[in-house]
Amino acid sequence: MTTGKDDLYETTITEPGDFVFDERVVKVFPDMINRSVPGYGLIVPMTAMLARRYAQAGTRLYDLGCSLGAVTLAMRAAVRVPDARLVAVDASPAMIEGLQHRLQRSAEPEAPWVETRLEDVLETPIEQASVVVLNFTLQFIRPDRRGELMQRIGRGLVPGGVLVLSEKVRFEDVGEQRALHAWHHEFKRSQGYSDLEIARKRDALENVMIPESIADHRARLAEAGFGHVVQWFQGFNFVSMVAFR
């Protein structure tokens, strides 16, 4: 499977809520996310490093909303504990098919087995997990269902297990939110997106991707039984946290 440059919104006219993870998005997804998320190229290998640190023998490592499997593949290359299994989950058939092609092309005999699942992450059982990753996934789930997912993840983690949560967030302070929003747009311009492309993608994502505040995330994690949360990364309005069970 080949991927290309993200030029979807050069000519596509969008309406609010148009964005879907279909075959058109899959074909340009690596380019899209790297040019849209400041620090994405750091978040992926650091997530794998954290997985290597906290993976436990005989457990599962979940990549929920795995898309084309950047984190899955990075964890597979990093983790070497006995009898560990990776579980990569996505609701997009095109994403799972793309990940399966990537796995076939990059076989690693000593690496953990990867199980791919085509399903909604809200339906995925979390069992005997030492590491769970939500890499820019929760923001696409309805806010009223995010709590139940956190609860299920919390129950499914073994003692000492971790959740790595990366998200676009909003800020309570109006001035801070305005500044970070503007800087993010400037970042995307620096990556070659035009103002028209930026506006069209924003319209497509309206009411599809719903960011929350860091305080909202921390409160939900506390309710799900996570005792300690460390925010290790921020790039403008994108953050990554590690929550300890």
Side-chain angles (χ1 to χ4, degrees), residues 50 53-56 59 129-132 154 157-163 226 242-245:
L50 291 164
R53 171 66 179 82
Y54 293 103
Q56 300 179 36
T59 64
S130 58
V131 177
V132 176
L157 281 164
V158 300
V162 299
L163 165 66
F226 290 91
V242 181
F244 295 84
R245 184 66 170 137

Side-chain angles (χ1 to χ4, degrees), residues 46-212:
M46 292 302 99
T47 299
M49 182 200 74
L50 291 164
R52 182 173 64 241
R53 171 66 179 82
Y54 293 103
Q56 300 179 36
T59 64
R60 296 182 175 94
L61 292 78
Y62 289 82
D63 184 5
L64 301 179
C66 62
S67 64
L68 289 174
V71 167
T72 297
L73 293 168
M75 289 197 297
R76 185 181 67 163
V79 172
R80 289 295 183 271
V81 295
D83 300 321
R85 170 175 288 200
L86 291 166
V87 182
V89 183
D90 205 283
S92 165
M95 288 291 192
I96 289 294
E97 182 180 353
L99 171 56
Q100 289 170 342
H101 284 309
R102 288 182 165 197
L103 289 167
Q104 290 168 3
R105 292 200 313 267
S106 59
E108 295 186 41
E110 297 181 3
W113 174 260
V114 180
E115 175 188 353
T116 59
R117 294 186 186 176
L118 176 60
E119 64 185 8
D120 189 328
V121 299
L122 290 169
E123 306 300 325
T124 301
I126 308 298
E127 301 170 328
Q128 196 66 15
S130 58
V131 177
V132 176
V133 177
L134 283 167
N135 195 38
F136 304 107
T137 298
L138 195 65
Q139 60 201 25
F140 290 102
I141 294 173
R142 279 174 29 195
D144 63 345
R145 301 206 65 185
R146 295 175 186 179
E148 68 182 80
L149 178 58
M150 290 297 110
Q151 294 285 340
R152 186 150 35 84
I153 292 171
R155 291 192 299 267
L157 281 164
V158 300
V162 299
L163 165 66
V164 183
L165 175 65
S166 302
E167 285 279 287
K168 183 177 183 180
V169 296
R170 60 176 176 79
F171 292 84
E172 304 290 355
D173 182 88
V174 174
E176 185 177 14
Q177 174 63 22
R178 184 182 298 116
L180 290 167
H181 179 76
W183 297 343
H184 180 220
H185 278 214
E186 192 60 39
F187 168 80
K188 288 190 284 189
R189 292 186 192 100
S190 76
Q191 299 299 304
Y193 286 119
S194 68
D195 288 338
L196 181 59
E197 288 177 287
I198 293 169
R200 283 174 169 170
K201 186 176 181 183
R202 182 187 62 237
D203 289 344
L205 285 168
E206 185 176 344
N207 298 323
V208 174
M209 183 180 70
I210 304 175
E212 296 176 295

Side-chain angles (χ1 to χ4, degrees), residues 2-16:
T2 59
T3 60
K5 181 183 177 182
D6 176 21
D7 56 5
L8 291 182
Y9 297 101
E10 285 184 359
T11 57
T12 302
I13 299 174
T14 56
E15 297 290 340

